[in-house]
Amino acid sequence: APDDVFLLKVELSYLDGKKDEKGSFVIEVHPEWAPLGAERIRAIVEEGAWHTARMFRVVPGFVAQWGIPGKPTVAARWRDFRIKDDPVREDVQNLKGYVTFAKSGPDTRTTQVFVNLADNTNLDSMGFPPFGKVIKGMDVVERINSKHGEKPDQGEIQSSGNAYLKQKFPDLTVITKTTILDPAESEEL
C-alpha cells in the first residue's frame, strides 16, 4: 500500500574523502510523514537519478546534502519536475538522523535531500517536513567528506555535473548505488 513504510539503502564510496573507504546507510521512509516526498524518493531510486551523484554540501553539525544528478542531461530533466510541499507535522521534527527534501521556496522540491547531522528543529517552522530517518549507518553518514563544506557551486553542478566536481572536488563522497529493500530483506538488517 502507498502508506507502507519502506527502506532505502544508500551505498557510498570516498568516505572521509578516500576512494577505497566504502559503506552504506539505510533510511526508513515514512509516507505518512510526507506522502509526496516519499513518492518522489521511489521515483528517484527507480530511475537511478542519484547513481554516481556526489554529496556536495556537508556542513558538520548541520546537514549532509545530496541529490543533484551527476549527468547534466538528467539533472536538467529533474530540475523542473517539482513537487508540491507536504504539510509539516508537529509530531515529526528535523532531529539528528532525520532526512528531508531541500528546497528554495514553496513547492520547489526536486531531487535534493539532506540528513540532519544535529537537531535542526528551527527548520520545522520553515516548511521542511522530514520523510524518513536513518535507522542504520549513522556512523557512515558522519564519515561523508565534509572538507569542502558549501564550496561546490550548485548551479555549476546542475550545468556541468560530475565533470565539474571531479575536476574541482575529486574527493567528494559518491553514491554508488541506491536500493529500495523489500520487507524480507529488511529483516536481515
Side-chain angles (χ1 to χ4, degrees), residues 60-85:
F62 183 45
V63 298
Q65 184 171 329
W66 73 92
I68 300 176
K71 285 188 185 146
T73 50
V74 178
R77 192 161 46 90
W78 283 93
R79 189 176 52 206
D80 300 323
F81 188 29
R82 297 173 167 187
I83 55 173
K84 291 208 174 307
D85 289 338

Side-chain angles (χ1 to χ4, degrees), residues 65 85 95 181-182:
Q65 184 171 329
D85 289 338
L95 301 174
L181 303 177
D182 69 35

Side-chain angles (χ1 to χ4, degrees), residues 36 43 51 68 70 88 99 105 127 142 158 172 176 180 183:
L36 298 173
H51 187 65
I68 300 176
V88 171
V99 193
E142 290 177 340
Q158 289 278 2
L172 287 176
T176 55
I180 288 175

Side-chain angles (χ1 to χ4, degrees), residues 3 8 10 17 57 70 75 84 97 105 131 139 146 160 174 186:
D3 289 343
L8 167 60
V10 180
R57 180 181 181 231
K84 291 208 174 307
F131 61 81
D139 55 324
S146 62
S160 305
V174 179
S186 67

Side-chain angles (χ1 to χ4, degrees), residues 164-183:
Y164 157 70
L165 293 174
K166 282 179 188 166
Q167 185 189 352
K168 300 274 198 226
F169 308 100
D171 55 357
L172 287 176
T173 299
V174 179
I175 296 177
T176 55
K177 193 176 179 192
T178 54
T179 318
I180 288 175
L181 303 177
D182 69 35

